[in-house]
Short mmCIF file of all heavy atoms in Angstrom, two decimals:
data_model
loop_
_atom_site.label_atom_id
_atom_site.label_comp_id
_atom_site.label_asym_id
_atom_site.label_seq_id
_atom_site.Cartn_x
_atom_site.Cartn_y
_atom_site.Cartn_z
N MET L 1 191.23 157.12 35.04
CA MET L 1 192.37 158.02 34.99
C MET L 1 191.89 159.36 34.91
O MET L 1 192.46 160.37 35.46
CB MET L 1 193.31 157.66 34.02
CG MET L 1 194.58 158.47 34.03
SD MET L 1 195.84 157.47 34.68
CE MET L 1 197.27 158.43 34.37
N SER L 2 190.83 159.71 34.11
CA SER L 2 190.39 161.06 33.80
C SER L 2 189.70 161.63 35.07
O SER L 2 189.53 162.87 35.17
CB SER L 2 189.45 161.15 32.67
OG SER L 2 188.29 160.25 33.01
N LYS L 3 189.40 160.80 36.08
CA LYS L 3 188.64 161.31 37.29
C LYS L 3 189.79 161.85 38.24
O LYS L 3 189.44 162.61 39.20
CB LYS L 3 187.89 160.22 37.89
CG LYS L 3 186.69 159.84 37.19
CD LYS L 3 185.97 158.71 37.92
CE LYS L 3 184.73 158.29 36.99
NZ LYS L 3 183.93 157.31 37.72
N LEU L 4 191.02 161.60 37.98
CA LEU L 4 192.08 162.11 38.88
C LEU L 4 192.43 163.46 38.52
O LEU L 4 192.28 163.93 37.34
CB LEU L 4 193.32 161.25 38.61
CG LEU L 4 193.35 159.86 39.15
CD1 LEU L 4 194.66 159.15 38.82
CD2 LEU L 4 193.02 159.67 40.57
N THR L 5 192.87 164.21 39.49
CA THR L 5 193.23 165.65 39.26
C THR L 5 194.53 165.69 38.53
O THR L 5 195.24 164.67 38.43
CB THR L 5 193.42 166.42 40.57
OG1 THR L 5 194.45 165.81 41.39
CG2 THR L 5 192.12 166.41 41.45
N VAL L 6 194.79 166.84 37.97
CA VAL L 6 196.16 166.98 37.23
C VAL L 6 197.43 166.67 38.18
O VAL L 6 198.26 166.02 37.83
CB VAL L 6 196.20 168.32 36.55
CG1 VAL L 6 197.65 168.59 35.99
CG2 VAL L 6 195.17 168.62 35.58
N ARG L 7 197.26 167.12 39.47
CA ARG L 7 198.31 166.88 40.29
C ARG L 7 198.52 165.45 40.62
O ARG L 7 199.59 164.99 40.66
CB ARG L 7 197.96 167.67 41.62
CG ARG L 7 199.00 167.42 42.79
CD ARG L 7 198.67 168.08 44.01
NE ARG L 7 199.62 167.82 44.96
CZ ARG L 7 199.67 168.33 46.19
NH1 ARG L 7 199.01 169.42 46.39
NH2 ARG L 7 200.58 168.00 47.03
N ALA L 8 197.29 164.69 40.80
CA ALA L 8 197.45 163.31 41.07
C ALA L 8 198.01 162.61 39.78
O ALA L 8 198.74 161.65 39.93
CB ALA L 8 196.00 162.83 41.43
N GLN L 9 197.63 162.99 38.68
CA GLN L 9 198.13 162.43 37.34
C GLN L 9 199.58 162.57 37.23
O GLN L 9 200.33 161.69 36.91
CB GLN L 9 197.38 162.89 36.23
CG GLN L 9 195.85 162.48 36.17
CD GLN L 9 195.20 163.08 34.88
OE1 GLN L 9 195.87 163.92 34.21
NE2 GLN L 9 193.99 162.71 34.68
N LEU L 10 200.14 163.74 37.55
CA LEU L 10 201.46 164.01 37.52
C LEU L 10 202.24 163.27 38.50
O LEU L 10 203.32 162.68 38.27
CB LEU L 10 201.75 165.52 37.55
CG LEU L 10 201.39 166.43 36.42
CD1 LEU L 10 201.52 167.94 36.85
CD2 LEU L 10 202.31 166.05 35.25
N LEU L 11 201.69 163.26 39.80
CA LEU L 11 202.43 162.40 40.89
C LEU L 11 202.49 161.00 40.36
O LEU L 11 203.49 160.31 40.62
CB LEU L 11 201.67 162.57 42.22
CG LEU L 11 201.91 163.90 42.86
CD1 LEU L 11 201.05 163.96 44.11
CD2 LEU L 11 203.41 164.03 43.30
N LEU L 12 201.35 160.54 39.83
CA LEU L 12 201.44 159.06 39.43
C LEU L 12 202.46 158.86 38.35
O LEU L 12 203.19 157.88 38.31
CB LEU L 12 199.98 158.67 39.00
CG LEU L 12 199.78 157.22 38.67
CD1 LEU L 12 200.05 156.25 39.87
CD2 LEU L 12 198.39 157.00 38.04
N ALA L 13 202.41 159.74 37.47
CA ALA L 13 203.33 159.58 36.14
C ALA L 13 204.76 159.71 36.71
O ALA L 13 205.56 158.89 36.21
CB ALA L 13 203.03 160.64 35.10
N PHE L 14 205.18 160.62 37.48
CA PHE L 14 206.57 160.80 38.07
C PHE L 14 206.87 159.66 38.94
O PHE L 14 208.02 159.20 38.81
CB PHE L 14 206.74 162.06 38.67
CG PHE L 14 206.78 163.26 37.77
CD1 PHE L 14 205.96 164.33 37.82
CD2 PHE L 14 207.83 163.19 36.70
CE1 PHE L 14 206.15 165.44 36.98
CE2 PHE L 14 207.90 164.35 35.78
CZ PHE L 14 207.09 165.43 35.99
N GLY L 15 205.95 159.19 39.69
CA GLY L 15 206.18 158.02 40.50
C GLY L 15 206.57 156.78 39.61
O GLY L 15 207.47 156.02 39.93
N LEU L 16 205.71 156.52 38.65
CA LEU L 16 205.94 155.52 37.71
C LEU L 16 207.33 155.58 37.02
O LEU L 16 208.14 154.51 36.98
CB LEU L 16 204.89 155.42 36.69
CG LEU L 16 204.64 154.24 35.77
CD1 LEU L 16 204.37 152.96 36.68
CD2 LEU L 16 203.64 154.36 34.82
N LEU L 17 207.69 156.83 36.56
CA LEU L 17 209.09 156.98 35.96
C LEU L 17 210.15 156.74 36.98
O LEU L 17 211.11 156.19 36.57
CB LEU L 17 209.00 158.42 35.48
CG LEU L 17 208.31 158.66 34.16
CD1 LEU L 17 208.43 160.14 33.73
CD2 LEU L 17 208.92 157.87 32.94
N MET L 18 209.97 157.08 38.27
CA MET L 18 210.87 156.90 39.18
C MET L 18 211.04 155.38 39.43
O MET L 18 212.28 154.88 39.51
CB MET L 18 210.63 157.55 40.48
CG MET L 18 211.77 157.45 41.54
SD MET L 18 211.43 158.01 43.22
CE MET L 18 210.85 159.77 42.99
N GLY L 19 210.06 154.69 39.49
CA GLY L 19 210.04 153.16 39.67
C GLY L 19 210.69 152.42 38.52
O GLY L 19 211.54 151.63 38.70
N VAL L 20 210.37 152.88 37.32
CA VAL L 20 211.16 152.40 36.18
C VAL L 20 212.70 152.69 36.25
O VAL L 20 213.48 151.77 35.91
CB VAL L 20 210.48 152.85 34.85
CG1 VAL L 20 211.38 152.47 33.68
CG2 VAL L 20 209.11 152.24 34.74
N SER L 21 212.98 153.97 36.55
CA SER L 21 214.49 154.29 36.67
C SER L 21 215.12 153.38 37.75
O SER L 21 216.28 153.01 37.50
CB SER L 21 214.59 155.74 37.07
OG SER L 21 213.95 156.60 35.96
N LEU L 22 214.39 153.19 38.83
CA LEU L 22 215.05 152.38 39.96
C LEU L 22 215.24 150.91 39.42
O LEU L 22 216.26 150.40 39.79
CB LEU L 22 214.27 152.47 41.21
CG LEU L 22 214.34 153.85 41.88
CD1 LEU L 22 213.46 153.83 43.05
CD2 LEU L 22 215.79 154.12 42.42
N LEU L 23 214.24 150.45 38.78
CA LEU L 23 214.31 149.09 38.28
C LEU L 23 215.44 148.88 37.25
O LEU L 23 216.20 147.95 37.42
CB LEU L 23 213.11 148.71 37.68
CG LEU L 23 212.98 147.29 36.97
CD1 LEU L 23 213.07 146.30 38.06
CD2 LEU L 23 211.64 147.03 36.22
N LEU L 24 215.64 149.87 36.43
CA LEU L 24 216.75 149.83 35.36
C LEU L 24 218.06 150.02 36.15
O LEU L 24 219.15 149.29 35.79
CB LEU L 24 216.60 150.97 34.40
CG LEU L 24 215.50 150.79 33.27
CD1 LEU L 24 215.36 151.94 32.51
CD2 LEU L 24 215.83 149.61 32.48
N ALA L 25 218.15 150.77 37.11
CA ALA L 25 219.38 150.97 37.86
C ALA L 25 219.76 149.69 38.53
O ALA L 25 220.89 149.27 38.58
CB ALA L 25 219.27 152.04 38.81
N ALA L 26 218.81 149.02 39.26
CA ALA L 26 219.02 147.78 39.85
C ALA L 26 219.49 146.61 38.87
O ALA L 26 220.45 145.82 39.18
CB ALA L 26 217.78 147.26 40.49
N LEU L 27 218.88 146.64 37.72
CA LEU L 27 219.16 145.61 36.72
C LEU L 27 220.59 145.77 36.15
O LEU L 27 221.40 145.01 35.87
CB LEU L 27 218.22 145.54 35.64
CG LEU L 27 216.85 145.06 35.88
CD1 LEU L 27 215.87 145.20 34.73
CD2 LEU L 27 216.92 143.64 36.21
N SER L 28 220.79 147.25 36.03
CA SER L 28 222.26 147.67 35.56
C SER L 28 223.28 147.09 36.46
O SER L 28 224.36 146.71 36.17
CB SER L 28 222.29 149.08 35.27
OG SER L 28 221.42 149.48 34.31
N LEU L 29 223.05 147.34 37.88
CA LEU L 29 224.05 147.04 38.82
C LEU L 29 224.26 145.50 38.81
O LEU L 29 225.31 144.97 39.09
CB LEU L 29 223.63 147.57 40.17
CG LEU L 29 223.84 149.03 40.38
CD1 LEU L 29 223.15 149.41 41.81
CD2 LEU L 29 225.23 149.40 40.40
N HIS L 30 223.15 144.77 38.72
CA HIS L 30 223.21 143.20 38.64
C HIS L 30 224.10 142.81 37.49
O HIS L 30 224.87 141.92 37.56
CB HIS L 30 221.80 142.63 38.65
CG HIS L 30 221.81 141.21 38.60
ND1 HIS L 30 222.26 140.41 39.60
CD2 HIS L 30 221.51 140.35 37.59
CE1 HIS L 30 222.18 139.17 39.32
NE2 HIS L 30 221.69 139.06 38.03
N SER L 31 223.88 143.39 36.29
CA SER L 31 224.53 143.08 35.16
C SER L 31 226.00 143.44 35.22
O SER L 31 226.93 142.71 34.85
CB SER L 31 223.92 143.78 33.92
OG SER L 31 224.61 143.48 32.74
N LEU L 32 226.30 144.63 35.84
CA LEU L 32 227.69 145.02 36.00
C LEU L 32 228.40 143.98 37.01
O LEU L 32 229.60 143.60 36.83
CB LEU L 32 227.72 146.44 36.54
CG LEU L 32 229.13 147.02 36.81
CD1 LEU L 32 229.85 147.10 35.50
CD2 LEU L 32 228.98 148.42 37.38
N SER L 33 227.76 143.59 38.11
CA SER L 33 228.38 142.68 38.98
C SER L 33 228.67 141.39 38.23
O SER L 33 229.68 140.76 38.49
CB SER L 33 227.40 142.44 40.10
OG SER L 33 227.84 141.46 41.01
N ASP L 34 227.65 140.89 37.40
CA ASP L 34 227.91 139.63 36.64
C ASP L 34 229.15 139.82 35.78
O ASP L 34 229.90 138.91 35.68
CB ASP L 34 226.74 139.38 35.81
CG ASP L 34 225.84 138.26 36.20
OD1 ASP L 34 226.18 137.58 37.29
OD2 ASP L 34 224.93 137.94 35.50
N ALA L 35 229.19 140.94 35.09
CA ALA L 35 230.30 141.07 34.21
C ALA L 35 231.63 141.11 34.90
O ALA L 35 232.64 140.57 34.43
CB ALA L 35 230.07 142.40 33.35
N ASN L 36 231.62 141.73 36.13
CA ASN L 36 232.84 141.83 36.96
C ASN L 36 233.32 140.56 37.33
O ASN L 36 234.44 140.16 37.32
CB ASN L 36 232.53 142.78 38.09
CG ASN L 36 233.81 143.02 38.82
OD1 ASN L 36 234.88 143.30 38.29
ND2 ASN L 36 233.78 143.08 40.18
N SER L 37 232.37 139.76 37.81
CA SER L 37 232.78 138.42 38.30
C SER L 37 233.26 137.51 37.11
O SER L 37 234.20 136.74 37.35
CB SER L 37 231.59 137.68 39.01
OG SER L 37 230.48 137.46 38.10
N ARG L 38 232.69 137.55 35.92
CA ARG L 38 233.14 136.96 34.80
C ARG L 38 234.61 137.43 34.31
O ARG L 38 235.46 136.53 34.19
CB ARG L 38 232.27 136.95 33.62
CG ARG L 38 231.05 136.07 33.74
CD ARG L 38 230.16 136.27 32.48
NE ARG L 38 229.68 137.75 32.55
CZ ARG L 38 228.93 138.23 31.58
NH1 ARG L 38 228.74 137.60 30.47
NH2 ARG L 38 228.66 139.47 31.68
N PHE L 39 234.83 138.68 34.48
CA PHE L 39 236.11 139.24 34.22
C PHE L 39 237.21 138.65 35.21
O PHE L 39 238.31 138.32 34.92
CB PHE L 39 236.13 140.78 34.13
CG PHE L 39 237.44 141.43 33.89
CD1 PHE L 39 237.96 141.23 32.65
CD2 PHE L 39 238.10 142.00 34.93
CE1 PHE L 39 239.23 141.79 32.47
CE2 PHE L 39 239.31 142.55 34.70
CZ PHE L 39 239.96 142.53 33.40
N VAL L 40 236.88 138.73 36.47
CA VAL L 40 237.72 138.22 37.54
C VAL L 40 238.01 136.79 37.26
O VAL L 40 239.27 136.29 37.53
CB VAL L 40 237.20 138.46 38.97
CG1 VAL L 40 237.96 137.76 39.96
CG2 VAL L 40 237.18 140.00 39.28
N SER L 41 237.03 136.01 36.97
CA SER L 41 237.18 134.66 36.71
C SER L 41 238.17 134.37 35.42
O SER L 41 239.06 133.57 35.50
CB SER L 41 235.87 133.84 36.36
OG SER L 41 236.07 132.60 36.00
N TYR L 42 237.94 135.16 34.42
CA TYR L 42 238.95 135.03 33.21
C TYR L 42 240.38 135.44 33.61
O TYR L 42 241.31 134.73 33.25
CB TYR L 42 238.42 135.96 32.13
CG TYR L 42 239.42 136.09 31.12
CD1 TYR L 42 239.40 135.10 30.15
CD2 TYR L 42 240.20 137.22 30.93
CE1 TYR L 42 240.36 135.20 29.08
CE2 TYR L 42 240.91 137.32 29.84
CZ TYR L 42 241.10 136.28 28.89
OH TYR L 42 241.98 136.42 27.86
N VAL L 43 240.49 136.46 34.38
CA VAL L 43 241.79 136.96 34.72
C VAL L 43 242.53 135.91 35.63
O VAL L 43 243.73 135.63 35.49
CB VAL L 43 241.77 138.41 35.36
CG1 VAL L 43 243.07 138.69 36.03
CG2 VAL L 43 241.36 139.41 34.38
N ASP L 44 241.79 135.45 36.55
CA ASP L 44 242.30 134.36 37.50
C ASP L 44 242.77 133.16 36.60
O ASP L 44 243.79 132.51 36.96
CB ASP L 44 241.32 134.02 38.55
CG ASP L 44 241.17 134.99 39.59
OD1 ASP L 44 242.00 135.85 39.67
OD2 ASP L 44 240.21 134.89 40.33
N GLY L 45 241.96 132.84 35.63
CA GLY L 45 242.47 131.66 34.79
C GLY L 45 243.72 131.92 34.07
O GLY L 45 244.53 131.10 33.87
N VAL L 46 243.71 133.19 33.47
CA VAL L 46 245.00 133.54 32.73
C VAL L 46 246.17 133.51 33.66
O VAL L 46 247.23 133.05 33.24
CB VAL L 46 244.83 134.95 32.07
CG1 VAL L 46 246.08 135.46 31.53
CG2 VAL L 46 243.70 134.92 30.96
N THR L 47 246.00 134.13 34.93
CA THR L 47 247.15 134.02 35.78
C THR L 47 247.54 132.64 36.21
O THR L 47 248.73 132.47 36.31
CB THR L 47 246.65 134.84 37.16
OG1 THR L 47 246.27 136.19 36.73
CG2 THR L 47 247.87 134.96 38.11
N ALA L 48 246.47 131.78 36.44
CA ALA L 48 246.85 130.40 36.78
C ALA L 48 247.65 129.81 35.54
O ALA L 48 248.54 128.98 35.93
CB ALA L 48 245.56 129.57 37.10
N ARG L 49 247.24 129.93 34.39
CA ARG L 49 247.93 129.28 33.23
C ARG L 49 249.41 129.91 33.17
O ARG L 49 250.33 129.19 32.74
CB ARG L 49 247.14 129.54 31.99
CG ARG L 49 245.92 128.69 31.91
CD ARG L 49 245.20 128.66 30.46
NE ARG L 49 244.69 129.96 30.16
CZ ARG L 49 243.48 130.48 30.54
NH1 ARG L 49 242.78 129.73 31.31
NH2 ARG L 49 243.18 131.63 30.12
N ALA L 50 249.54 131.18 33.27
CA ALA L 50 250.94 131.80 33.28
C ALA L 50 251.78 131.24 34.39
O ALA L 50 252.90 131.01 34.17
CB ALA L 50 250.71 133.28 33.41
N ALA L 51 251.15 131.12 35.45
CA ALA L 51 252.06 130.50 36.61
C ALA L 51 252.42 129.12 36.29
O ALA L 51 253.63 128.70 36.54
CB ALA L 51 251.19 130.61 37.98
N LEU L 52 251.51 128.42 35.74
CA LEU L 52 251.95 126.98 35.39
C LEU L 52 252.94 126.92 34.31
O LEU L 52 253.86 126.06 34.33
CB LEU L 52 250.59 126.22 34.84
CG LEU L 52 250.74 124.71 34.45
CD1 LEU L 52 251.15 123.96 35.62
CD2 LEU L 52 249.38 124.24 33.96
N ALA L 53 252.86 127.77 33.27
CA ALA L 53 253.87 127.89 32.17
C ALA L 53 255.14 128.24 32.80
O ALA L 53 256.24 127.72 32.44
CB ALA L 53 253.41 128.94 31.22
N ALA L 54 255.17 129.15 33.71
CA ALA L 54 256.47 129.69 34.42
C ALA L 54 257.12 128.40 35.18
O ALA L 54 258.33 128.30 35.09
CB ALA L 54 256.25 130.83 35.29
N ASN L 55 256.18 127.65 35.93
CA ASN L 55 256.79 126.52 36.63
C ASN L 55 257.33 125.47 35.71
O ASN L 55 258.33 124.81 36.05
CB ASN L 55 255.58 125.84 37.54
CG ASN L 55 255.17 126.74 38.71
OD1 ASN L 55 256.02 127.55 39.08
ND2 ASN L 55 254.02 126.46 39.15
N VAL L 56 256.71 125.18 34.60
CA VAL L 56 257.16 124.25 33.60
C VAL L 56 258.50 124.75 33.02
O VAL L 56 259.48 123.94 32.94
CB VAL L 56 256.19 124.02 32.47
CG1 VAL L 56 256.68 123.26 31.31
CG2 VAL L 56 254.88 123.25 32.95
N ARG L 57 258.60 126.00 32.71
CA ARG L 57 259.74 126.56 32.15
C ARG L 57 260.96 126.40 33.17
O ARG L 57 262.06 126.09 32.83
CB ARG L 57 259.55 128.05 31.89
CG ARG L 57 260.82 128.75 31.42
CD ARG L 57 261.28 128.30 30.06
NE ARG L 57 262.50 129.15 29.79
CZ ARG L 57 262.96 129.27 28.60
NH1 ARG L 57 262.27 128.77 27.52
NH2 ARG L 57 264.06 129.96 28.35
N GLU L 58 260.68 126.64 34.42
CA GLU L 58 261.69 126.56 35.50
C GLU L 58 262.12 125.21 35.63
O GLU L 58 263.27 124.88 35.79
CB GLU L 58 261.10 127.08 36.82
CG GLU L 58 262.20 127.13 37.88
CD GLU L 58 261.46 127.69 39.27
OE1 GLU L 58 260.47 128.27 39.20
OE2 GLU L 58 262.11 127.28 40.26
N ALA L 59 261.16 124.16 35.54
CA ALA L 59 261.57 122.67 35.67
C ALA L 59 262.40 122.29 34.40
O ALA L 59 263.33 121.55 34.64
CB ALA L 59 260.26 121.85 35.65
N VAL L 60 262.11 122.91 33.25
CA VAL L 60 262.92 122.56 32.04
C VAL L 60 264.26 123.09 32.20
O VAL L 60 265.29 122.44 31.88
CB VAL L 60 262.17 123.03 30.85
CG1 VAL L 60 263.16 123.04 29.67
CG2 VAL L 60 260.92 122.23 30.49
N ASP L 61 264.36 124.32 32.66
CA ASP L 61 265.78 124.90 32.94
C ASP L 61 266.59 124.10 33.85
O ASP L 61 267.74 123.86 33.73
CB ASP L 61 265.66 126.41 33.40
CG ASP L 61 265.08 127.26 32.30
OD1 ASP L 61 265.17 126.92 31.07
OD2 ASP L 61 264.76 128.42 32.80
N ARG L 62 265.89 123.69 35.02
CA ARG L 62 266.67 122.86 36.05
C ARG L 62 267.11 121.53 35.33
O ARG L 62 268.25 121.06 35.77
CB ARG L 62 265.77 122.65 37.25
CG ARG L 62 265.48 123.91 38.08
CD ARG L 62 264.76 123.53 39.35
NE ARG L 62 264.40 124.70 40.04
CZ ARG L 62 263.64 124.59 41.07
NH1 ARG L 62 262.95 123.65 41.48
NH2 ARG L 62 263.33 125.83 41.81
N ARG L 63 266.22 121.01 34.65
CA ARG L 63 266.54 119.67 34.07
C ARG L 63 267.69 119.84 33.10
O ARG L 63 268.67 119.04 32.93
CB ARG L 63 265.39 119.07 33.38
CG ARG L 63 265.58 117.68 32.84
CD ARG L 63 264.40 116.93 32.67
NE ARG L 63 264.76 115.50 32.78
CZ ARG L 63 263.96 114.65 33.34
NH1 ARG L 63 262.84 115.02 33.87
NH2 ARG L 63 264.27 113.43 33.36
N ALA L 64 267.73 120.91 32.29
CA ALA L 64 268.80 121.15 31.42
C ALA L 64 269.99 121.44 32.08
O ALA L 64 271.22 120.90 31.65
CB ALA L 64 268.43 122.40 30.47
N ILE L 65 270.04 122.13 33.14
CA ILE L 65 271.32 122.43 33.98
C ILE L 65 271.81 121.18 34.57
O ILE L 65 272.96 120.72 34.51
CB ILE L 65 271.01 123.37 35.13
CG1 ILE L 65 270.81 124.74 34.49
CG2 ILE L 65 272.10 123.54 36.07
CD1 ILE L 65 270.23 125.93 35.43
N ALA L 66 270.78 120.26 35.08
CA ALA L 66 271.25 118.96 35.65
C ALA L 66 271.92 118.03 34.57
O ALA L 66 272.94 117.33 34.79
CB ALA L 66 270.09 118.26 36.23
N ALA L 67 271.36 118.11 33.31
CA ALA L 67 271.82 117.25 32.24
C ALA L 67 273.17 117.80 31.76
O ALA L 67 274.20 116.99 31.53
CB ALA L 67 270.89 117.27 31.03
N ARG L 68 273.35 119.06 31.81
CA ARG L 68 274.73 119.68 31.54
C ARG L 68 275.70 119.30 32.51
O ARG L 68 276.89 118.96 32.20
CB ARG L 68 274.69 121.16 31.41
CG ARG L 68 275.92 121.83 31.09
CD ARG L 68 275.89 123.27 31.35
NE ARG L 68 275.93 123.38 32.94
CZ ARG L 68 275.59 124.47 33.53
NH1 ARG L 68 275.18 125.59 32.85
NH2 ARG L 68 275.51 124.56 34.89
N ASN L 69 275.32 119.30 33.82
CA ASN L 69 276.35 118.94 34.93
C ASN L 69 276.67 117.44 34.87
O ASN L 69 277.69 117.27 35.45
CB ASN L 69 275.68 119.39 36.18
CG ASN L 69 275.60 120.87 36.42
OD1 ASN L 69 276.32 121.55 35.66
ND2 ASN L 69 274.74 121.29 37.34
N LEU L 70 275.89 116.58 34.18
CA LEU L 70 276.25 115.20 34.23
C LEU L 70 277.53 115.10 33.32
O LEU L 70 278.40 114.28 33.46
CB LEU L 70 275.19 114.44 33.64
CG LEU L 70 274.07 114.16 34.66
CD1 LEU L 70 272.89 113.28 34.00
CD2 LEU L 70 274.54 113.36 35.84
#
């Protein structure tokens, strides 16, 4: 490394730093994408359970009205 000129050493160092920065950015984007998909999955699950609960509640209300009408 000492045989390289100062300019070459600086270019190598900055190139290495840029490579590490790009690697970190790529890993961060991948992690963010993962977190986003897990969040969407969670929200979809909550929405499905809420819709099911609403359907059950509606069925109970209809049954109560039918029993009352008898």
Side-chain angles (χ1 to χ4, degrees):
M1 181 106 167
S2 62
K3 293 182 182 181
L4 294 175
T5 64
V6 173
R7 178 181 172 164
Q9 289 176 0
L10 285 173
L11 283 173
L12 183 63
F14 283 124
L16 194 61
L17 284 174
M18 186 189 304
V20 169
S21 296
L22 288 175
L23 179 65
L24 285 175
L27 289 174
S28 297
L29 285 174
H30 179 68
S31 179
L32 183 62
S33 174
D34 249 5
N36 187 41
S37 65
R38 282 182 294 175
F39 178 71
V40 166
S41 174
Y42 172 75
V43 168
D44 286 346
V46 168
T47 303
R49 288 189 295 274
L52 182 62
N55 288 342
V56 168
R57 173 68 183 206
E58 185 179 340
V60 167
D61 288 344
R62 286 183 184 172
R63 186 155 207 147
I65 290 170
R68 180 199 65 196
N69 291 341
L70 282 177

